[in-house]
Amino acid sequence: DGAGVVRSQDGGVTWTAINAGLPSRRIRALAVAPAQPSTLYATIGVTPYRSDDGGERWRQVAASVVPASDGDANHTPLLLVHPTNPQIVHALSTEFDFFGTRQILTWSIDGGATWQVSRSGSIYDLTYPPGPKISLIAAVASYPENVLEQSDDLGETWRPVGANLPAAVRQVRFADAMTSYAVDAAGRGV
């Protein structure tokens, strides 16, 4: 079943399992709130859990990160907590069905208790770039182009900010406001 969530407090020399309250150790995603590092979120499948004491105790905060009316997601491989508000968390889930896969991006503004859909489709990554303005950036495969899209309102609306990327971007990271890095579907730099 694996180790579940483990924590090191000595720079990675030793690790301790911190799974009290988690019904399984099959964790799909883990996120730390940057503004409040004692607040952690994790998912088992699509079920969100939260810890407010650095992982000592976990509690289920909702049945799923995807509202039942918006799909039947199978797992959530990515969680992202807002840089300044630990109550705001985004989840990128994957739904597998007979026709293939699609990603469902959801968000919660109440610490994971309720979730709403931001968008669905071919979304491969989500990040907050550095800088004074808090915006979300998503890597989106949008035929015939692969684009980066930005949301300035937690994911309610989106607009393209990067186009003509040379490959299907699966991950994007920012060093600073002007320098970004991307990786394509095959794991190569684009």
Side-chain angles (χ1 to χ4, degrees):
D1 205 28
V5 180
V6 295
R7 176 181 62 206
S8 176
Q9 296 179 299
D10 57 10
V13 174
T14 60
W15 295 87
T16 304
I18 50 170
N19 298 300
L22 294 173
S24 168
R25 293 184 178 179
R26 295 182 183 264
I27 307 301
R28 292 291 181 199
L30 178 68
V32 178
Q36 191 172 322
S38 62
T39 299
L40 308 170
Y41 292 89
T43 55
I44 298 173
V46 292
T47 305
Y49 292 83
R50 177 178 168 154
S51 172
D52 293 308
D53 58 8
E56 292 296 325
R57 291 178 304 277
W58 292 89
R59 62 186 165 82
Q60 182 177 334
V61 289
S64 174
V65 297
V66 179
S69 61
D70 290 299
D72 186 23
N74 306 91
H75 74 282
T76 301
L78 190 143
L79 290 170
L80 181 68
V81 183
H82 190 275
T84 61
N85 186 338
Q87 297 298 313
I88 300 173
V89 61
H90 288 82
L92 185 58
S93 302
T94 302
E95 177 180 46
F96 299 96
D97 63 22
F98 182 75
F99 302 104
T101 63
R102 75 176 178 131
Q103 287 72 35
I104 303 168
L105 177 59
T106 57
W107 56 290
S108 173
I109 59 170
D110 57 9
T114 60
W115 295 83
Q116 69 181 49
V117 173
S118 169
R119 63 178 297 163
S120 63
S122 296
I123 309 156
Y124 294 101
D125 195 21
L126 187 67
T127 189
Y128 284 105
K133 182 178 182 183
I134 297 176
S135 299
L136 278 170
I137 299 289
V140 179
S142 180
Y143 185 81
E145 294 183 52
N146 299 293
V147 299
L148 297 180
E149 292 187 4
Q150 178 174 327
S151 175
D152 298 323
D153 56 12
L154 299 178
E156 285 192 51
T157 60
W158 294 87
R159 62 183 168 81
V161 292
N164 301 316
L165 294 165
V169 172
R170 295 297 189 255
Q171 189 173 47
V172 62
R173 293 294 177 262
F174 293 84
D176 56 48
M178 295 302 294
T179 307
S180 56
Y181 300 90
V183 176
D184 73 3
R188 302 175 298 242
V190 294

